[in-house]
Amino acid sequence: MSRAVLQPFEVYQKARVQFVQTVAELAKRPQNIEALQSAGVMSLLRPLLLDCVPSIQQSAALALGRLAKHSEDLAEAVVSNEILPQLVSSLGEQNRFYKKAAAFVLRCVAKHSSTLAMAVVNSGALEALVQCLEEFDPSVKEAAASALRYIAKHTADLAQAVVDAGAVPLLVLCIQEPETTLKRVSAGALSEICKHSAELAQNVVDAGAAPFLSALIPHHDAELKRSVCFCLANIAKHTIDLAEAIVDVDIFPKILYRLKDTDPGVRKAAATCIREIARQSQDLAKMICSAGAVVSIVDYINEAKGDARLPGIMTLGFIGAFDEALAMGIIAAKGIAPLKDALIKEPDQSVKSASAWSLGMIGGHSADHSRAMAEADVPSHLLAVYKFPDSSEDLKKKSSQALKSILQMCTYLPALEPLISEAPPDILQYVLHQFQKTLPNDNAAKKQFVLSEGLKKIQEIKANPGSKLRQYIDEINSYYPPEIIQYYSAGYEQQLLKKLDDYNAD
């Protein structure tokens, strides 16, 4: 073939190579995206996916992936230009570089919404991606696992589609591969599948994933440890049986060591996993406590800040709610102080709400539990949060419930007296109820109630006739001689002065 004939083809090929490589490079920078879109880049790249030169196909796919990653609108443009069927049809035939680039495009389209993820599924991509999980090249497996992860994350139906395509057993094999990045992405994909329902989580357990995930808890890679702990949490959260399946693969005590990990994300993921197990049953909560989890969780809450404290705070609440022995174990482990600190100092209202809830779960079992709360001055802080105007409705509700739960068991009267002046009527009736129950059987307390001016304070309360509050005030007054009650009643000074005037007049 003559040089004159070949030359234009070579020039055309060089131009195509330069075009796709330049577009792929320009697509890296967000400021270029609008201009590329205006120039009709999608329609220009589409035919290049079927180019006879493999490197041009790969660069075209890479450019499309970067564009789709940038925004949902561009991802929708990839779908509307019917690019997905071309990518999928070539996935099983092209080389590993093209497969990685095509999987990247599918991932970037699927990540934005369930609608776009469904478009990827409808293009037949799942079967092709699952086949890529069986490739020899680990980077191809990683790209496919990442795409499957972004498909599965949106809805239970999409996750089920990934399961039905046969992805789970292959993802379990992938977490056993030596490459850390492949382990990381595969664990993340399994986690996204598990989170939706017990049935999907059971699929992952049945595929034998749990022992291999457990073995990765002490791994050196922080991102992998996070993915593993969240995956275990997403399995355990659904049912007691699934939580027991996770415990049975010996995650304790090694997951407790992750609460001291150098990476904050790993610490939070480990605390989340422990929380999901603790909430399932009393037996699991006891098992966690026997493994030393309470002290570890208390230390975690002390060291963490912000919403990272949340899983630890809730773990103590779930454990403390089951029975008084477990709650007393939390008190013995000095768990009240960090919960109170979070209630007072954390700006996030969800953290405050969780702290209030946990304090109520721990402190409402018995007089001993509530006394520990009272001695730590928890009731006054719960009351302050409840009365604070900027507290959310949920925080007010949780604080009120916790306060009532503690007050109903509290017989440590010195801690209750300050609340008489501060509590609104709906809380005050719980406070006075405790005095009404305790004072008749404790002469020392009865005397102290007078000396501390508690008796005087309740005479100043304006309670409606027939109300619970009025009933408790009247019953407390009945424990004292009428002269003492009269002495502290409103207007008594004026009565004395009148008697003095009458005496002087005589």
Side-chain angles (χ1 to χ4, degrees):
M1 191 179 294
S2 68
R3 181 66 184 163
V5 174
L6 286 174
Q7 186 176 8
F9 286 93
E10 291 174 356
V11 171
Y12 179 48
Q13 179 173 323
K14 286 180 182 178
R16 300 198 312 278
V17 169
Q18 184 180 8
F19 173 75
V20 291
Q21 289 179 346
T22 302
V23 170
E25 189 64 29
L26 289 171
K28 283 183 177 180
R29 294 181 284 278
Q31 62 268 29
N32 296 331
I33 299 298
E34 189 175 345
L36 288 170
Q37 191 176 10
S38 300
V41 69
M42 290 289 180
S43 58
L44 295 172
L45 287 172
R46 181 188 173 192
L48 296 177
L49 288 171
L50 300 175
D51 198 276
C52 58
V53 180
S55 64
I56 294 175
Q57 294 178 8
Q58 294 152 26
S59 295
L62 182 62
L64 285 167
R66 287 174 179 170
L67 290 165
K69 183 181 179 181
H70 177 74
S71 73
E72 188 171 348
D73 288 343
L74 285 167
E76 287 174 352
V78 170
V79 174
S80 62
N81 278 277
E82 299 184 353
I83 290 170
L84 295 183
Q86 289 184 8
L87 287 168
V88 173
S89 64
S90 304
L91 258 178
E93 304 165 2
Q94 300 292 341
N95 63 32
R96 61 193 177 98
F97 300 106
Y98 180 84
K99 288 178 179 179
K100 284 167 57 178
F104 173 64
V105 179
L106 296 172
R107 184 195 99 186
C108 291
V109 172
K111 69 178 261 189
H112 293 289
S113 69
S114 58
T115 303
L116 286 168
M118 185 56 74
V120 172
V121 171
N122 291 338
S123 71
L126 286 181
E127 291 73 15
L129 289 170
V130 170
Q131 287 176 9
C132 287
L133 291 178
E134 299 183 89
E135 288 283 328
F136 178 76
D137 190 318
S139 63
V140 175
K141 293 180 183 179
E142 182 186 335
S146 184
L148 291 167
R149 175 182 183 176
Y150 279 96
I151 293 168
K153 78 172 189 174
H154 294 289
T155 67
D157 288 342
L158 286 165
Q160 187 64 56
V162 171
V163 171
D164 292 343
V168 171
L170 295 172
L171 288 170
V172 173
L173 289 174
C174 286
I175 63 174
Q176 301 171 60
E177 296 284 349
E179 292 79 16
T180 298
T181 53
L182 178 56
K183 289 177 185 286
R184 188 191 299 158
V185 173
S186 301
L190 290 172
S191 181
E192 296 293 354
I193 292 168
C194 290
K195 74 180 184 183
H196 295 289
S197 70
E199 291 75 16
L200 288 165
Q202 190 66 56
N203 271 297
V204 173
V205 171
D206 291 344
F212 300 109
L213 291 167
S214 175
L216 293 172
I217 292 172
H219 200 275
H220 62 84
D221 183 74
E223 192 173 341
L224 175 57
K225 286 183 283 189
R226 289 199 296 271
S227 294
V228 165
C229 289
F230 278 127
C231 186
L232 292 169
N234 282 332
I235 294 171
K237 73 179 185 178
H238 296 291
T239 67
I240 296 173
D241 289 342
L242 286 168
E244 288 175 346
I246 297 306
V247 171
D248 288 344
V249 294
D250 299 325
I251 68 166
F252 290 97
K254 56 190 173 187
I255 200 165
L256 298 180
Y257 302 144
R258 300 283 68 79
L259 295 174
K260 294 284 188 181
D261 199 275
T262 54
D263 183 83
V266 173
R267 296 198 294 270
K268 183 177 181 181
T272 301
C273 182
I274 296 166
R275 178 193 69 193
E276 298 302 339
I277 296 169
R279 71 190 298 178
Q280 292 296 342
S281 74
Q282 185 172 342
D283 288 340
L284 285 170
K286 286 180 177 178
M287 185 282 303
I288 287 173
C289 292
S290 65
V294 170
V295 172
S296 298
I297 289 290
V298 169
D299 289 343
Y300 170 77
I301 301 170
N302 275 320
E303 293 165 8
K305 299 297 176 189
D307 65 355
R309 288 176 136 183
L310 196 55
I313 289 167
M314 295 187 70
T315 299
L316 293 186
F318 285 125
I319 292 172
F322 282 115
D323 70 33
E324 57 185 65
L326 292 174
M328 191 54 74
I330 294 171
I331 293 170
K334 301 180 180 177
I336 294 177
L339 294 176
K340 186 178 87 168
D341 180 79
L343 177 72
I344 298 168
K345 296 181 180 178
E346 287 295 341
D348 189 328
Q349 302 232 342
S350 63
V351 178
K352 287 180 178 288
S353 293
S355 302
W357 174 78
S358 292
L359 288 165
M361 293 296 102
I362 297 164
H365 288 286
S366 73
D368 290 336
H369 295 78
S370 60
R371 178 167 184 143
M373 293 289 172
E375 289 177 342
D377 201 25
V378 168
S380 65
H381 289 294
L382 286 169
L383 180 60
V385 170
Y386 174 65
K387 292 173 64 178
F388 188 59
D390 292 341
S391 292
S392 67
E393 288 304 312
D394 181 63
L395 178 52
K396 288 182 179 181
K397 181 181 177 183
K398 295 285 197 312
S399 300
S400 173
Q401 290 173 338
L403 190 51
K404 291 173 182 177
S405 178
I406 293 168
L407 291 177
Q408 283 176 334
M409 289 294 171
C410 189
T411 57
Y412 183 59
L413 301 184
L416 299 183
E417 284 195 27
L419 303 182
I420 294 174
S421 302
E422 302 294 331
D426 59 324
I427 301 296
L428 185 56
Q429 71 178 43
Y430 287 87
V431 177
L432 295 189
H433 189 204
Q434 294 309 107
F435 283 97
Q436 178 260 326
K437 289 193 300 184
T438 306
L439 289 177
N441 307 310
D442 190 337
N443 287 328
K446 194 187 297 185
K447 184 177 180 180
Q448 183 59 37
F449 194 54
V450 176
L451 295 175
S452 64
E453 297 193 343
L455 186 63
K456 178 184 177 182
K457 290 175 184 175
I458 70 168
Q459 308 312 315
E460 298 167 359
I461 297 170
K462 295 178 180 178
N464 295 325
S467 65
K468 282 281 187 185
L469 197 55
R470 183 73 260 170
Q471 178 186 332
Y472 294 143
I473 294 171
D474 290 342
E475 290 192 28
I476 292 169
N477 286 343
S478 71
Y479 305 149
Y480 294 92
E483 306 90 74
I484 294 179
I485 303 302
Q486 187 181 17
Y487 178 77
Y488 287 120
S489 297
Y492 183 65
E493 291 179 3
Q494 283 74 19
Q495 292 178 31
L496 287 179
L497 289 173
K498 187 176 183 306
K499 285 186 178 181
L500 179 60
D501 291 339
D502 293 342
Y503 181 80
N504 289 334
D506 293 341

